Structure formats: structure tokens, C-alpha cells
Amino acid sequence: MAFLDPSQTRPAALWRGLGLALFGAALITLGAKIQIPFWPVPMTLHSLAVFFLAATLGPRLGLAAMATYLAAGAMGMPVFSGTPERGIGLAYMAGPTGGYLAGYLLGAGLTGWLAQGRGLIGRFLAMLAGLVVVYALGLAWLALYVPAPGLLAAGLTPFLLGDLVKLALASGLIAAIARLRTRAA
């Protein structure tokens, strides 16, 4: 889905892109703050927001939304899950979850790139590829804090089922929006 109209003037397209990146960062923040009881750990809607935006906005704007979110967090705004209780700013970002945050940035760009022009299954697979990047960077960074024998139990297995459900929801939501747009046209 392309959201920028090539017939717009360059400044109008720039402002629209900036607005979408800010809206995306706000949506990611909202997703990070919503906590849903889930087994074995509570889940947030952070990854749903990131991958929904990446697949919807494309690689540049999806990446811009995630970068804006990270910049707000780096400046000390309490945008991350568990903030301000667990710290804010660069100190939070350098903590155990820092690799996951970096992974979301790269995963958003990859997802946006892979999802372009794809259908429901293709978008889901693009999001899955992005999620692999998130987990790879997240676990590599978390290994600095957690001994190797407990790494997967601390940073992967409790979250995997919830993340797969969120990717399916994001894919379905994008498909539903596309159907509504087609009917309205």
C-alpha cells in the first residue's frame, strides 16, 4: 500500500511522511504500553504495531516510524514498555532489551521491503523474517546479561507464541483494511 502520492509537491510529501512517522511512533508507544495477560508472560502490542506499520507504510516510512520511536526513547521520553519504572533513555536502551530495540529497527526495514506488493501469506512471511532479525539481535545482546544455558528461556520461548499471534493479527488487519478500501473505491 503506497501512502505517498507522487503527484504531491516535494514539501507536501515530506510533511506527510513526517506526519506518518510521528503517528507510527505514537502507535508503537501505545502498543508498548498496552499489556495483555498471556501465558507464560504478559504481552504488549509493541511488535504488532511495529510490523503492522512496516508492512503498511513500506521500508522507508516503517523504518522512519521505528527510528522516531527510538529517538524519543533515547531522549528520555517514557515510550518503552516498563518505562519509567525500569529506567528511561539511553540507560534503558543499553539494558537487556537493547538488542531487541535495535532488532526492531532493522526488522521494520526488512519487513517493509519484503512485504511490498505481497498478499496475506507474503506479508506474514515478511513479518516473520523481520521477527527473526529482532530475535537474533535481541538474543545476541541479551547474552551479555544472561548465561547461555538460560538464554532461550529468558529471551525467546516465553514470547514466541504471542509474537506469532500478533504477526497473524497484523497480516489479517492489513488484509481487512485493503478489502475495505477496495469496497469504498
Side-chain angles (χ1 to χ4, degrees):
M1 291 183 194
F3 283 96
L4 293 180
D5 181 359
S7 67
Q8 290 182 329
T9 64
R10 189 171 181 97
L14 179 66
W15 283 109
R16 183 165 182 182
L18 180 62
L20 286 170
L22 289 171
F23 170 77
L27 189 62
I28 295 168
T29 300
L30 181 63
K33 297 299 183 176
I34 295 173
Q35 202 171 70
I36 298 170
F38 197 74
W39 179 88
V41 294
M43 80 173 165
T44 66
L45 298 181
H46 183 256
S47 53
L48 180 124
V50 170
F51 291 117
F52 169 80
L53 289 167
T56 304
L57 298 178
R60 282 194 293 179
L61 287 174
L63 188 71
M66 189 62 204
T68 302
Y69 169 77
L70 292 175
M75 290 187 295
M77 297 176 78
V79 297
F80 303 127
S81 176
T83 58
E85 302 83 17
R86 294 186 329 198
I88 58 171
L90 293 175
Y92 180 92
M93 295 175 80
T97 59
Y100 295 98
L101 294 173
Y104 277 117
L105 181 65
L106 296 177
L110 178 65
T111 297
W113 180 66
L114 292 174
Q116 294 178 102
R118 305 275 188 235
L120 178 72
I121 301 299
R123 279 190 303 271
F124 178 81
L125 293 174
M127 292 179 200
L128 190 58
L131 186 63
V132 167
V133 170
V134 171
Y135 278 123
L137 290 176
L139 290 169
W141 184 261
L142 187 60
L144 299 172
Y145 296 88
V146 176
L151 188 60
L152 294 180
L156 175 72
T157 53
F159 306 101
L160 193 54
L161 177 60
D163 280 339
L164 293 174
V165 168
K166 289 181 273 185
L167 296 187
L169 286 171
S171 298
L173 184 59
I174 293 168
I177 291 170
R179 279 193 300 276
L180 289 173
R181 290 181 76 188
T182 302
R183 287 183 191 158

